[in-house]
Amino acid sequence: MSPRLMKAIINGLLIGGAVVALFPLLWMLSVSFMAPGEASALPPPLLPKHPSWVNYRELFVRAGMGRYLLNSVLVAGAITALSLVFNLMAGYAFAKLRFAGRERLFQALLGALVIPAQVAMLPLFLLLKYMGLVNSYAGVVAPALATVFGIFLVRQYARGIPDELLEAARIDGAGEWRIFVQIVLPLLKPIIVTLAIFSFLAAWNDFMWPLIVLTGQEHYTLPIGLASLAREHAQDSELMMAGSVVTVLPVLLLFLSLQRYYLQGLLLGSVKG
């Protein structure tokens, strides 16, 4: 088989796979612009006969999707910003600072990775209830302030920072906080972007924990709001597709805009680890 034919076959398979993967998303977008009941026809139409924004207007004017969207932005933004602070400091400490029990503590953290998150949900809920944080944004944000995966990711990347660079800064009289802010953080930029994307996507798409800790509809995030909306409009496929587009579009745009930094962080982290 000639190299040209082999290349054509591989490209064809890749294009075919991409079409199969993207078709549901494209059809979801198309249905969101259809008139109510249009998508229920057999066979289902691929494109709307008369595209309109009526479903999106219904979502934000009557269904309260704007409130859910704002809640998701606030929660995901807070989790991303705060978790970056804690994960970066903890990861750098495990990589470059020496303190008693460092290795054993890190091994214990890695051991926590094998414990399913669902196991900790009940005791965590009871703890937050005792603290008065149930049905609040803080109750959703607090458990995500630091993650084992985030600490591990930062540690593996920070280990590649030369010790000589840090020692030279200490000799010049720089304190640990100044070294971390002015020297370490700029070197961690690729992994910061990668971790920020991971954290934002996880917080934005999280359904189980907000469902448990949030009891008031005014605090619902987009996934919970969309699920509650589905119970009321189970037969309204067009409205549900519009809600799905609103839920997916922000994180999709974020990932596409930062894709280069995301891949760079993963690749560099794997080499330096």
Side-chain angles (χ1 to χ4, degrees), residues 185-246:
L185 287 185
L187 296 175
L188 295 180
K189 181 180 178 181
I191 211 66
I192 290 175
V193 176
T194 302
L195 186 57
I197 295 175
F198 270 125
S199 302
F200 190 87
L201 291 179
W204 185 274
N205 295 325
D206 191 14
F207 176 80
M208 183 62 69
W209 179 246
L211 180 65
I212 293 174
V213 77
L214 297 177
T215 57
Q217 191 170 356
E218 70 277 5
H219 293 113
Y220 280 0
T221 56
L222 269 178
I224 307 176
L226 189 61
S228 64
L229 193 64
R231 292 194 294 267
E232 301 174 6
H233 303 271
Q235 303 300 322
D236 197 346
S237 302
E238 297 79 13
L239 187 65
M240 292 299 97
M241 291 299 182
S244 300
V245 171
V246 173

Side-chain angles (χ1 to χ4, degrees), residues 46-64:
L46 294 179
L47 298 174
K49 293 182 180 179
H50 304 287
S52 69
W53 295 90
V54 63
N55 296 312
Y56 293 95
R57 191 179 304 113
E58 181 75 13
L59 279 177
F60 286 94
V61 173
R62 297 186 180 181

Side-chain angles (χ1 to χ4, degrees), residues 160-178:
I161 299 176
D163 292 330
E164 294 79 6
L165 181 63
L166 305 180
E167 290 298 330
R170 294 188 181 102
I171 293 174
D172 289 340
E176 293 298 332
W177 180 251
R178 183 179 179 184

Side-chain angles (χ1 to χ4, degrees), residues 1 25 33 38 65 71 85 97 99 136 150 157 169 179 186 200-201 211 254-255:
M1 185 178 295
L25 295 177
F33 289 103
E38 186 177 348
M65 188 61 68
N71 290 341
V85 174
L97 300 183
F99 53 89
S136 67
Y157 188 87
I179 292 173
F200 190 87
L201 291 179
L211 180 65
L254 175 67
F255 178 80

